């Protein structure tokens, strides 16, 4: 014991002089451009083991023996920096270290399937949106952040209704009948994206995820990147990574914002005087052509009814029905989060509440979310973690575009019809059902509860071998509660009320288990390999009950109905089992090779083709590191990439390969009938894709970007092939047909000015994709209004009569014959013309341009999004611009109608009931190109020195405008449109009284402490 005490005393005595000779370095690490502090940065004294991480306020403190050192600082996304520092005995030295943002980001970590990689080692094509872009955006759903920002990714909302479906395409449409949307993976777990809408307008389950919880979004675009997901990679893969904690003092963030919104645009309609004049003129013209009928008397009688006792001759009533459909929307959002931890345990905890009123009456969307992400290092070899997200969404919905109850269809009401009667009650005797009656007499509330989470363990078996196991669950419960009382019976057909209650539950669980081997061989070689197994099981249950005939309008639940008129209960499901592997080889950080493969099995396919194999190979060569390239002036980095792979598409009905039977009864006797023929040979669609890419940086990395050229060919299309009627079936699902997508993508990033007082960065991307169906086995598949899938054309082309204008002699609408000896001859009878391809809903080019300018603590961001070369077909055009054919109100351009011989115009003579020019033709086809100021924001970052006395590390005030300006020749509300009830693979680019996007302004305040 005495010997131990003596040794301890000697050690303490020996250490004492060293401690006495030490000093301290205290400092802060900041962004060289903005001056913002950087938490979590690494700081080390070169040549020593002395180091630290900056805290939540960006500060650090180091102690070391007196001497002169180089202080090294680094952080992901920034270029490393070093500076000399002298440490004096017993003294404290204070320094500030500035880090320049690394625009090239070769060390930036990209999430890929079942692993990560650096930008330098990336051999596939991946688009990334980071935390900064997500934080700066004001969106209802995170996918909207991708719009215009990710080259090769097209995002289009169906309409401006809250919580509604989106059309998202990664490098074009790869299927005719199967799904075309990408696979979404949150923290390694594929999530539920099934549309659970009870009507024909799709909803968006992904809107239940809070964008404020997301750290990054990676879109895997080429086969090399997405083949690891095998049978579901053909349409691209979107990887969402949620935020995590860090080693350091807990950081709290509070973000509060409020917003106001209105429609991006309203259209000009006829007023009461113009309306009556046009319809009377149309009646007189019809009477001239057909004296046997009293058209003028018909019109005057209708006017007497529509005006409801008011004097239509003096335009006593001039109702602005369009104004009744729209409202000033807006709402607020509160985000609160805490993140931090220790060396062994890190956490991220958040809560969010948002409430939003749409720009249409009755349209509301409320969302509550909570998230807890934990990671704990049990030992140097074992770490455990969990990610748990909970949400509740309440969406007060409105009807589909094809319903008289939908607000926008209210514009069809004549302006001579009063909105309310003299007693103040709503007018119920209108041309069409008065949607305003829905305001206080109906309920369409959709409530969704979601539990999305996973647990994982990571075991370092030996230094070069690691095993990871993940188990994830995504449980989605949704209730649709609908009620329509007796006052809206004209639209529902239920004079004593109608209630529908629907419940859906989707249980989706996934397990991933895989090994990762990493090893450096000598100084030049690096090997990384991953192999594993994944299993997914999804079940869907639905129950619905409908009741009618309520005692009075105070009874609003199904159990109060006197008669249960319908009831259903269904269950379905599917399973996937996959075995995957990937190997990466790196030579001198200059040559990179990657190969992957996946064997997938699915319950959806036939017994003879239950499994498929999906391989991919890719490589990259960093030319700029070659000795022969070192002298090229201005070139900082140059990398060539190439890849080839095969992916699949399994997004079809769950029992598409089986022979199915359905219940059938006759005279009260139960029975069954066959409804689907068996196809045991049914298999995946296969998409082979080749990609060549170039990553570049010039002028000391101040300008960087990437260029990709690709070709995607899909074969074994899953199509419903017509079969002879004598078989008892109309069609059978088979693998028939091919299509292709070819395209070019270009993205630029530039740091134009970069000083502490002023900086200016710019981003630009543009994409071009060409889609063509090359084989459909001679079939023609129709959809939308005049869309079709046909060989030799892009999917969903518009096919109809070609409008030739107006005959200046008599005002007849003319159509090109398009057949015979003179195809450019014209006729006033569309039945004598031949329908032809008129245009395409697919744009020639899409992209975006962004600029960020900072001066002191002020930051200005401007982001423009553009779409060019697509067409939009207005399926409601024959009602809105009908030349007085019926009593709907009209667009004001109908005043340019033909009236006398010699008039040159595109608007035919107005004729009541004659349908002059109302055939489905190119008359209602418009250029859908637009340029939109998607985001304009101004933010002020309060200087840190002004906040220190308030224990606040950061404060930010911001003003964000969304969709502030839209430049387009499209004549209706908004060019970003897909009529919701016909939207699909083929029914693209259609308008039918579809709600416009919202123009909004948000004011927010963010605190960090």
């Amino acid at each position: 014991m005495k010997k131990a005490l003596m040794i301890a005393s000697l050690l303490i005595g020996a250490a004492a002089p060293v401690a006495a000779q030490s000093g301290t370095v205290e400092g802060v690490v900041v962004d060289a451009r903005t001056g913002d502090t950087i938490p979590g940065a690494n700081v080390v004294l070169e040549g020593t083991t002395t180091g630290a991480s900056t805290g939540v306020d960006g500060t650090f403190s180091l102690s070391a023996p007196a001497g002169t050192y180089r202080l090294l600082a680094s952080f992901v996304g920034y270029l490393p920096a070093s500076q000399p520092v002298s440490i004096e005995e017993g003294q404290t030295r204070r320094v500030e270290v500035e880090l320049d943002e690394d625009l090239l980001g070769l060390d930036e970590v990209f999430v890929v399937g079942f692993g990560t990689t650096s930008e330098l080692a990336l051999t596939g094509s991946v688009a990334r949106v980071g935390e900064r872009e997500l934080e700066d955006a004001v969106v209802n759903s995170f996918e909207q952040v991708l719009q215009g920002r990710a080259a090769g990714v097209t995002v289009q909302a169906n309409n401006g209704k809250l919580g509604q479906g989106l059309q998202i395409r990664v490098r074009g449409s790869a299927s005719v009948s199967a799904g075309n949307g990408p696979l979404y993976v949150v923290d390694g777990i594929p999530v539920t994206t099934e549309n659970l809408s009870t009507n024909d307008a799709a909803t968006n389950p992904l809107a239940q995820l809070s964008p404020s919880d997301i750290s990054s979004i990676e879109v895997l675009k080429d086969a090399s990147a997405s083949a690891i997901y095998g049978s579901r990679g053909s349409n691209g893969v979107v990887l969402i990574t949620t935020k995590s904690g860090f080693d350091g003092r807990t950081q709290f963030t509070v973000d509060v914002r409020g917003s106001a919104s209105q429609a991006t645009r309203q259209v000009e309609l006829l007023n009461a005087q113009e309306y009556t004049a046009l319809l009377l003129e149309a009646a007189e013209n019809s009477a001239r052509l057909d004296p046997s009928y009293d058209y003028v008397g018909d019109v005057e009688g209708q006017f007497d009814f529509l005006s409801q006792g008011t004097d239509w001759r003096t335009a006593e009533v001039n109702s602005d029905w369009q104004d009744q459909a729209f409202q000033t929307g807006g709402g607020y959002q509160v985000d609160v989060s805490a993140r931090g931890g220790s060396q062994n345990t890190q956490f991220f905890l958040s809560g969010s509440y948002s409430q939003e009123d749409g720009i249409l009456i009755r349209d509301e969307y409320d969302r509550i979310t909570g998230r807890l992400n934990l990671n704990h290092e049990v030992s140097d070899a074992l770490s455990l973690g969990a990610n748990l997200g909970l949400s509740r969404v309440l969406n007060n919905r409105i009807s589909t575009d094809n319903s008289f109850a939908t607000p926008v269809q209210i514009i069809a009401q004549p302006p001579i019809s009063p909105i309310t009667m003299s007693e103040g009650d709503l007018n119920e005797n209108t041309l069409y059902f008065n949607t305003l009656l829905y305001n206080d007499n109906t309920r369409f509330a959709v409530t969704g509860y979601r539990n999305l989470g996973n647990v994982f363990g990571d075991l370092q078996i030996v230094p070069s071998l690691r095993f990871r196991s993940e188990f994830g669950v995504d449980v989605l419960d949704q209730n649709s509660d609908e009620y329509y009382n007796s006052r809206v019976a004209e639209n529902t057909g239920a004079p004593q009320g109608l209630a529908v209650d629907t419940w859906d539950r989707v249980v989706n669980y996934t397990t991933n288990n895989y090994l990762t081997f990493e090893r450096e061989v000598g100084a030049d070689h690096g090997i990384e390999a991953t192999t594993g197994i994944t299993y997914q099981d999804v079940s869907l249950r639905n129950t619905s009950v409908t009741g009618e005939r309520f005692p009075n309008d105070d009874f609003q639940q199904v159990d109060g109905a006197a008669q249960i008129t319908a009831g259903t209960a269904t269950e379905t499901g599917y399973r996937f089992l996959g075995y995957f592997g990937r190997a990466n080889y790196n030579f001198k950080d200059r040559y990179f090779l990657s190969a992957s493969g996946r064997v997938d099995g699915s319950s959806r396919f036939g017994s003879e083709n239950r499994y498929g194999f999906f391989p991919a190979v890719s490589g990259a060569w960093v030319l700029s590191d070659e000795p022969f390239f070192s002298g090229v002036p201005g070139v900082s980095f140059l990398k060539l990439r190439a890849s080839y792979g095969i992916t699949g598409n399994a997004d079809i009905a769950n029992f598409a390969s089986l022979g199915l039977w359905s219940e059938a009864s006759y005279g009260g006797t139960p029975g069954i009938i066959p409804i689907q023929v068996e196809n045991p040979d049914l298999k995946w669609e296969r998409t082979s894709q080749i990609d060549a890419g170039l990553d570049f940086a010039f002028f000391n990395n101040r300008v960087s970007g990437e260029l990709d050229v690709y070709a995607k060919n899909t074969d074994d299309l899953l199509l419903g092939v017509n079969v002879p009627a004598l078989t008892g079936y109309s069609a059978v699902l088979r693998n028939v047909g091919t299509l292709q997508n070819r395209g070019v993508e270009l993205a630029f990033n530039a740091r134009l000015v970069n000083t502490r007082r002023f900086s200016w960065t710019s981003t630009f991307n543009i994409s071009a994709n060409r889609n063509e169906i090359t084989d459909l086995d001679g079939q023609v598949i129709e959809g939308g209004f005049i869309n079709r899938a046909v060989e030799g054309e892009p999917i969903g082309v518009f096919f109809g009569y070609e409008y030739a204008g107006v005959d200046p002699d008599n005002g007849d609408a003319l159509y090109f014959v398009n057949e015979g000896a003179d195809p450019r001859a014209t006729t006033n009878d569309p039945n004598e013309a031949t329908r032809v391809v008129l245009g395409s809903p697919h744009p020639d080019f899409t992209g975006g341009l962004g600029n960020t300018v900072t001066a002191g603590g002020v930051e200005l961001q401007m982001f423009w999004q553009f779409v060019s070369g697509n067409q939009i077909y207005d399926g409601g055009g024959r009602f809105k611009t009908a030349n007085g054919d019926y009593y709907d109100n009209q667009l004001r351009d109908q005043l340019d109608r033909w009236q006398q011989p010699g008039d040159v115009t595109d608007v035919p003579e107005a004729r009541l009931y004659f349908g002059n020019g109302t055939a489905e033709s190119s008359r209602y086809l418009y250029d859908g190109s637009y340029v939109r100021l998607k985001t304009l924001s101004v933010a002020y970052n309060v200087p840190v020195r002004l906040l220190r006395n308030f224990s606040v590390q950061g404060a930010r005030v911001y003003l964000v405008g969304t969709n502030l300006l839209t430049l387009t020749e499209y004549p209706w509300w908004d060019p970003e449109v897909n009529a919701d009830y016909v939207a699909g693979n083929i029914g693209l680019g259609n308008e039918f009284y579809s709600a416009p996007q919202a123009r909004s302004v948000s004011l927010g305040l963010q605190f960090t402490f």
Side-chain angles (χ1 to χ4, degrees):
M1 183 69 180
K2 291 181 179 179
K3 182 180 291 186
L5 290 173
M6 185 179 298
I7 293 172
S9 299
L10 290 173
L11 290 173
I12 293 172
V18 175
Q21 296 173 7
S22 66
T24 303
V25 179
E26 293 181 351
V28 61
V29 179
V30 299
D31 186 306
R33 179 173 60 87
T34 66
D36 294 339
T37 59
I38 302 177
N42 294 317
V43 182
V44 65
L45 295 177
E46 187 176 19
T48 75
T49 58
T50 301
S53 295
T54 58
V56 67
D57 56 355
T59 62
F60 66 91
S61 179
L62 298 173
S63 295
T68 299
Y69 303 88
R70 291 201 68 82
L71 187 69
L72 307 179
S74 62
F75 188 67
V76 175
Y78 289 84
L79 297 171
S82 67
Q83 65 183 60
V85 60
S86 297
I87 298 178
E88 299 180 6
E89 181 180 344
Q91 301 296 314
T92 298
R93 178 72 182 272
R94 291 178 173 81
V95 298
E96 180 179 286
V97 184
E98 296 182 352
L99 295 183
D100 287 315
E101 186 178 358
D102 183 7
L103 279 182
L104 186 56
L106 295 180
D107 294 326
E108 185 175 5
V109 176
F110 276 69
V111 177
V112 293
F114 307 101
T116 60
T117 188
S118 68
E119 169 72 11
L120 177 66
L122 189 65
T123 57
S125 182
V126 180
R128 188 176 196 271
V129 173
E131 188 171 329
R132 182 67 178 272
E133 291 89 347
L134 287 158
E135 288 179 346
D136 291 339
V138 178
V139 293
N140 181 257
S141 183
F142 72 87
E143 311 101 292
Q144 294 170 303
V145 182
L146 298 171
Q147 191 172 38
R149 288 183 169 88
V153 182
T154 303
V155 180
Q156 186 178 43
N158 284 343
N159 51 47
K161 301 173 186 175
L162 298 178
Q164 299 304 290
L166 300 172
Q167 298 287 333
I168 300 179
R169 300 291 183 262
V170 178
R171 292 186 167 179
S173 298
S175 181
V176 174
S177 300
N180 268 309
L183 172 68
Y184 292 90
V185 180
V186 177
D187 292 328
I189 304 301
V191 297
T192 297
T193 56
E194 273 82 4
N195 167 38
L196 302 178
S197 176
T198 56
N199 62 26
D200 291 331
T203 55
N204 180 15
L206 294 172
Q208 295 176 341
L209 301 177
S210 174
S212 61
D213 287 342
I214 299 175
S215 175
S216 68
I217 302 173
E218 276 91 359
V219 183
L220 312 183
K221 297 187 294 184
D222 73 337
S224 170
S226 59
I228 196 95
Y229 288 99
S231 62
R232 291 176 287 177
S234 287
N235 300 318
V237 182
V238 179
L239 305 179
I240 300 109
T241 304
T242 58
K243 294 178 180 178
S244 59
F246 56 81
D247 178 6
R249 186 164 65 88
T250 301
Q251 178 188 49
F252 295 91
T253 301
V254 178
D255 195 337
V256 181
R257 69 168 179 256
S259 63
S261 60
Q262 59 181 201
T264 49
R265 185 182 185 184
Q266 292 196 19
V267 297
E268 293 187 34
L269 301 167
L270 300 179
N271 61 32
Q273 184 177 8
E274 293 165 338
Y275 172 82
T276 55
L278 178 66
L279 266 294
L280 284 169
E281 179 184 316
E284 292 168 355
N285 292 333
S286 295
R288 185 188 76 246
L289 298 173
D290 179 18
S292 65
Y293 183 77
D294 185 7
Y295 291 92
V296 174
D298 190 320
V299 165
E300 291 178 343
Q302 285 288 345
F303 284 175
D304 289 340
F305 168 76
L306 294 172
S307 60
Q308 289 295 294
T310 64
D311 189 354
W312 54 266
R313 291 174 176 83
T314 62
E316 178 183 346
V317 169
N318 184 23
S319 299
D320 186 350
W321 285 97
Q322 181 176 212
D323 188 58
Q324 299 297 310
F326 294 97
Q327 64 183 7
T328 298
Y332 62 92
Q333 180 166 324
V334 179
D335 297 315
V336 180
S337 68
R339 62 195 305 188
S342 63
Q343 183 176 358
N344 293 330
T345 304
Q346 299 86 43
F347 71 91
F348 171 77
L349 176 66
S350 74
S352 175
Y353 176 70
S354 65
Q355 185 277 326
E356 186 174 3
D357 295 326
I359 58 173
L360 295 180
I361 54 176
R362 306 190 301 273
D363 193 17
E364 300 174 351
Y365 195 87
D366 293 358
R367 179 177 61 206
I368 302 173
T369 67
R371 174 163 289 277
L372 175 61
N373 291 352
L374 283 173
N375 187 76
H376 176 66
E377 295 183 9
V378 179
S379 65
D380 291 341
L382 177 64
S383 64
L384 303 174
N387 302 310
L388 176 63
L390 303 174
S391 67
R392 190 232 65 178
V393 165
L394 173 61
N395 187 188
N396 287 319
R397 300 188 65 195
I398 51 183
S399 306
T400 69
D401 293 344
N402 189 35
S403 169
F404 288 128
T406 198
V408 180
Q409 283 209 30
I410 203 173
I411 71 160
Q413 305 286 11
I416 61 173
S417 290
I419 297 171
T420 58
M421 306 305 290
S422 57
E423 313 83 44
D425 295 331
L426 288 171
N427 180 8
E428 298 186 33
N429 295 308
T430 50
L431 178 64
Y432 299 111
F433 174 76
N434 186 352
T435 182
L436 299 179
L437 291 167
Y438 263 42
N439 289 358
D440 299 316
N441 301 295
T442 67
R443 179 178 64 252
F444 190 178
V446 178
T447 306
Y449 299 91
R450 192 164 197 166
N451 182 338
L452 173 60
N454 71 309
V455 294
F456 59 87
D458 206 304
L459 177 64
Q460 195 80 39
I461 301 173
V462 295
S464 58
L465 185 63
R466 180 166 51 88
F467 172 71
R468 184 177 177 91
S469 182
E470 302 171 335
F471 179 79
V473 175
D474 183 5
V475 179
L476 174 59
D477 287 294
Q478 180 169 294
N479 171 235
S480 178
D481 177 18
E482 300 179 59
Y483 171 71
Y484 308 89
N485 73 15
S486 59
R487 289 203 63 191
V488 297
E490 179 188 347
N491 197 58
T492 63
Q496 291 179 274
L498 167 71
V500 184
D501 196 80
T502 304
W503 278 93
D504 293 278
R505 165 167 282 190
V506 184
V507 179
N508 170 4
Y509 68 82
T510 303
T511 179
N512 301 320
N513 294 276
Y514 55 96
L515 289 164
T516 300
F517 175 83
E518 293 182 89
R519 186 169 182 179
E520 299 291 331
V521 181
D524 297 332
H525 305 275
I527 300 173
E528 186 267 339
T530 298
T531 185
I533 183 173
T534 178
Y535 174 77
Q536 182 180 14
D537 187 297
V538 180
S539 63
L540 302 89
R541 291 183 60 89
N542 167 273
T543 60
S544 181
V545 61
T546 301
E548 295 186 30
R549 301 178 61 194
F550 291 84
N552 57 53
D553 290 344
D554 292 329
F555 289 81
Q556 299 183 1
Q557 297 297 330
V558 173
D559 68 346
Q563 183 178 9
I564 301 300
T565 57
T568 62
T570 62
E571 182 176 6
T572 184
Y574 59 90
R575 297 175 181 177
F576 283 93
L577 175 64
Y579 307 89
F580 60 87
R582 178 179 57 220
N584 298 325
Y585 171 70
N586 165 18
F587 178 63
K588 290 187 175 181
D589 281 341
R590 190 184 307 165
Y591 309 99
F592 301 91
L593 290 175
S594 180
S596 65
R598 176 159 170 160
V599 174
D600 252 349
S602 172
S603 62
R604 287 174 167 169
F605 294 98
S607 57
E608 301 300 318
N609 288 296
R610 183 112 329 147
Y611 286 86
F613 177 55
F614 306 94
V617 62
S618 60
W621 176 23
V622 183
L623 276 75
S624 53
D625 283 353
E626 294 289 355
F628 64 80
F629 210 88
S630 59
V632 178
V635 178
S636 308
F637 179 76
L638 206 61
K639 181 175 76 172
L640 290 175
R641 293 179 282 105
S643 68
Y644 174 79
I646 298 173
T647 50
N649 189 351
D651 193 1
I652 58 172
N654 292 329
F655 308 116
S657 66
L658 303 179
L660 298 182
W661 298 72
S662 178
E663 178 275 335
S665 61
Y666 181 77
T669 302
I672 57 174
I673 58 172
I675 59 172
Q676 179 176 287
V677 66
E678 179 184 14
N679 182 4
D681 295 320
L682 195 69
K683 60 183 178 180
W684 283 280
E685 293 182 348
R686 288 163 45 95
T687 298
S688 60
Q689 182 174 180
I690 186 170
D691 181 282
L694 174 67
D695 299 337
F696 56 85
F698 304 116
F699 313 119
N700 198 25
N701 297 335
R702 295 188 64 143
V703 177
S704 62
E706 57 188 43
L707 172 67
D708 279 88
V709 180
Y710 62 87
K712 293 172 61 175
N713 293 282
T714 303
D715 56 20
D716 292 328
L717 290 175
L718 292 159
L719 294 177
V721 179
N722 295 329
V723 295
L726 58 86
T727 64
Y729 304 94
S730 60
V732 60
L733 190 64
R734 292 177 179 167
N735 295 101
V736 175
T738 60
L739 65 76
Q740 65 179 15
N741 286 276
R742 301 177 186 274
V744 180
E745 301 163 357
L746 177 64
F748 274 106
N749 303 285
R751 182 184 290 149
L752 303 175
V753 181
N754 185 40
T755 68
R756 185 66 174 270
R757 293 181 178 272
F758 180 80
S759 68
W760 178 13
T761 60
S762 184
T763 63
F764 173 75
N765 75 83
I766 186 170
S767 306
N769 183 81
R770 299 294 179 265
N771 175 274
E772 182 184 351
I773 299 174
T774 51
D775 179 22
L776 277 185
D777 198 28
Q779 296 187 101
V780 173
I781 304 174
E782 297 187 340
F785 295 103
I786 60 171
N787 302 94
R788 61 168 42 188
V790 61
E791 293 172 4
E793 299 290 345
I795 184 173
V797 291
F798 300 110
F799 189 81
Y801 300 114
E802 186 179 3
Y803 187 61
V806 177
D807 189 331
D809 295 328
N810 57 22
D812 285 349
L814 299 177
Y815 304 89
F816 288 110
V817 175
N818 282 318
E819 65 179 356
D822 185 8
R824 303 314 286 170
T826 60
T827 177
N828 63 0
D829 182 0
N831 295 318
E832 296 177 354
T834 299
R835 294 190 297 166
V836 295
V837 173
L838 302 173
S840 170
H842 303 283
D844 294 331
F845 302 98
T846 60
L849 171 65
N851 284 278
T852 301
V853 176
T854 61
V858 179
E859 182 177 83
L860 172 67
Q861 292 191 44
M862 180 183 293
F863 181 75
W864 295 85
Q865 174 224 349
F866 62 86
V867 173
S868 175
N870 62 305
Q871 281 81 44
I872 298 173
Y873 182 76
D874 183 9
R878 55 198 174 103
F879 308 113
K880 303 171 190 170
T881 56
N883 321 111
D885 184 53
Y886 192 61
Y887 295 97
D888 297 52
N889 199 5
Q890 306 282 287
L891 198 66
R892 290 199 79 248
D893 66 5
Q894 296 310 287
L895 298 178
D896 297 330
R897 65 206 176 279
W898 185 96
Q899 291 182 290
Q900 60 186 5
D903 284 352
V904 178
T905 177
D906 281 338
V907 183
E909 181 183 46
R911 299 171 186 170
L912 182 67
Y913 305 149
F914 267 65
N916 186 25
T918 61
E920 292 183 327
S921 72
S922 58
R923 181 187 177 196
Y924 305 117
L925 193 66
Y926 303 98
D927 182 5
S929 304
Y930 68 91
V931 176
R932 171 169 284 166
L933 180 55
K934 193 67 180 176
T935 305
L936 178 65
S937 67
V938 180
Y940 177 66
N941 296 296
V942 180
V944 175
R945 66 179 183 276
L946 300 179
L947 303 172
R948 287 172 181 163
N949 294 334
F950 303 96
S951 299
V952 176
Q953 275 75 48
R956 185 171 183 259
V957 183
Y958 58 91
L959 183 67
V960 180
T962 304
N963 297 334
L964 294 181
L965 177 65
T966 303
L967 306 175
T968 182
E969 294 184 359
Y970 184 63
W972 286 99
W973 288 279
D974 196 283
E976 184 182 346
V977 63
N978 273 305
D980 55 20
Y981 75 102
V982 295
N985 289 355
I986 300 175
L988 295 172
N990 291 291
E991 152 81 50
F992 194 84
Y993 300 95
S994 304
Q997 301 300 303
R999 177 194 293 120
S1000 66
V1001 176
S1002 303
L1003 177 63
L1005 181 61
Q1006 183 185 81
F1007 287 105
T1008 303
F1009 52 92

